[in-house]
Amino acid sequence: MRHRHWLSLGCLTALLSPLPAAAQSHVSINGLVDVGIYRGFDGTAQAGTIQRSNLAIAGWEDLGGGLKATFRLSARFDIDTGRMEDQGSKPFWHDESTVGLQGGFGHLRMGRALSAMWSQDWKFDPWANFNRISSPAWYQWHYLTPTDRYSNNGAAEYGRMANGLFYDSPTFGGFTLHLSASPERTEAPLTLRREGRGYSASLNYDSDSLSGMLAFERNGSGDRDTFAAAKYRFGAAAVMAAWDYSRVAQTALSAKAVTLGATYQVGATTLKAGYGRQTMQEQTNHFYSLGADYALSKRSTLYASIGRKSYEYGVDSGTSFGVGMAHAF
């Protein structure tokens, strides 16, 4: 009986002894589901995604000492057909596929993601560079400089860098630095040659009322893009302006774009207006747009958009308008 007593006491002591703390971790599923009915600039009636739908799985694990391991997998899809966006040309995890470390030094990731410039520029467009009807940014920024000319099975990729390193600094006095680069040379499949290495940098400033950005990007083909933007918020209103200069390395072709935007919130409704002017060689293109978002809740929005392309030589000119619904989760 005495042996049983000591055995039971030993088991109880072991159960009550402090155990090593389990590492905290968190995984979430989030994204945006968007669908609408609209008339394209070519006059064709369409039903489908206006602001692009995406599904993301993201998470982190606390490694201790203020250090976290992170990951993000994000895919884009067309809700009207259920297919992946541009299925067959773009990779499945087209939006992002990264793993990284985050701490007091900032956030370092590896994989495929938006370049430093593209990951920050959306703040300076009323439609967050994310509306195929009314976003001036969508049609006029970075016009001649895709981040990679060949990464989508030989087709150009505007915005995302594959085989990349991505760094976001801590904030110092309102300033943050964002960097991206690839250690691999760009492959040009049509000519069977290897080109240069792409890189991008963005310096951003944010305060309660004022935001600004200065960025530069060079892709592996040598094309270059310089971007500057600012936004000022006062009360329920915000005004913003951006300037972009893109140029092709192998030719003298270049494009300059200046865009203006404004938003004004009245209760659950946000009114939007945009304008863009693009000059490319001897051609000048204008873009005008209006829109309104109505917040059904923090996550669900009804919206209406209208855009007008006015191109100097008439090609691709037209008016597009539509209504849609978006739900973030």
Side-chain angles (χ1 to χ4, degrees):
M1 295 294 294
R2 180 177 298 177
H3 293 298
R4 292 181 180 178
H5 170 75
W6 284 112
L7 181 60
S8 299
L9 183 61
C11 292
L12 181 62
T13 303
L15 290 173
L16 295 178
S17 297
L19 296 174
Q24 293 184 341
S25 62
H26 175 77
V27 176
S28 64
I29 298 177
N30 56 76
L32 178 75
V33 179
D34 176 272
V35 69
I37 299 174
Y38 63 98
R39 176 186 185 272
F41 288 101
D42 61 358
T44 303
Q46 301 177 56
T49 297
I50 296 176
Q51 300 185 134
R52 289 184 168 170
S53 300
N54 66 84
L55 174 67
I57 305 171
W60 54 264
E61 181 186 18
D62 190 347
L63 303 177
L67 189 65
K68 291 182 179 179
T70 67
F71 79 92
R72 182 176 177 83
L73 300 171
S74 180
R76 293 213 305 240
F77 60 93
D78 295 323
I79 191 174
D80 54 319
T81 63
R83 295 182 177 182
M84 305 309 299
E85 183 178 283
D86 294 335
Q87 185 172 319
S89 62
K90 295 181 179 179
F92 181 84
W93 298 114
H94 166 66
D95 206 21
E96 182 171 336
S97 54
T98 59
V99 64
L101 290 174
Q102 185 175 20
F105 60 87
H107 193 186
L108 179 64
R109 295 168 293 147
M110 296 180 63
R112 173 189 172 91
L114 285 168
S115 71
M117 181 174 69
W118 283 78
S119 67
Q120 303 299 315
D121 65 10
W122 60 271
K123 304 172 185 177
F124 303 95
D125 176 69
W127 290 269
N129 199 357
F130 215 62
N131 185 303
R132 70 176 73 247
I133 294 176
S134 52
S135 171
W138 189 311
Y139 291 102
Q140 296 190 343
W141 290 356
H142 325 311
Y143 191 75
L144 297 175
T145 55
T147 302
D148 191 321
R149 287 198 173 277
Y150 312 105
S151 67
N152 290 334
N153 290 324
E157 167 57 45
Y158 283 84
R160 284 164 183 80
M161 178 179 289
N163 308 305
L165 298 169
F166 308 88
Y167 172 71
D168 304 299
S169 78
T171 301
F172 298 101
F175 288 93
T176 54
L177 178 66
H178 307 273
L179 303 172
S180 60
S182 175
E184 298 189 13
R185 291 183 177 274
T186 297
E187 295 186 5
L190 297 180
T191 58
L192 300 178
R193 73 176 188 273
R194 298 178 70 84
E195 301 186 340
R197 299 178 178 89
Y199 58 85
S200 181
S202 175
L203 180 64
N204 288 68
Y205 175 78
D206 287 291
S207 68
D208 291 338
S209 60
L210 181 65
S211 297
M213 173 178 172
L214 179 62
F216 176 81
E217 179 164 310
R218 179 192 184 278
N219 64 22
S221 303
D223 308 324
R224 299 170 183 268
D225 195 300
T226 305
F227 180 81
K231 177 193 286 187
Y232 182 68
R233 295 171 289 272
F234 51 99
V239 292
M240 61 206 75
W243 174 84
D244 181 76
Y245 176 54
S246 58
R247 57 194 185 276
V248 180
Q250 289 79 15
T251 68
L253 190 61
S254 64
K256 294 181 181 179
V258 175
T259 62
L260 303 174
T263 62
Y264 184 75
Q265 187 169 354
V266 184
T269 302
T270 301
L271 304 175
K272 301 179 179 183
Y275 167 73
R277 181 179 186 272
Q278 180 192 65
T279 56
M280 186 166 51
Q281 305 309 101
E282 302 300 323
Q283 182 176 347
T284 301
N285 302 321
H286 299 273
F287 189 90
Y288 311 87
S289 55
L290 294 171
D293 292 357
Y294 180 77
L296 297 172
S297 68
K298 290 183 178 181
R299 296 180 177 271
S300 299
T301 304
L302 295 176
Y303 62 88
S305 304
I306 183 171
R308 169 66 183 173
K309 288 182 181 180
S310 180
Y311 285 12
E312 186 169 350
Y313 297 116
V315 180
D316 293 330
S317 293
T319 300
S320 178
F321 53 86
V323 295
M325 178 177 180
H327 175 75
F329 59 93

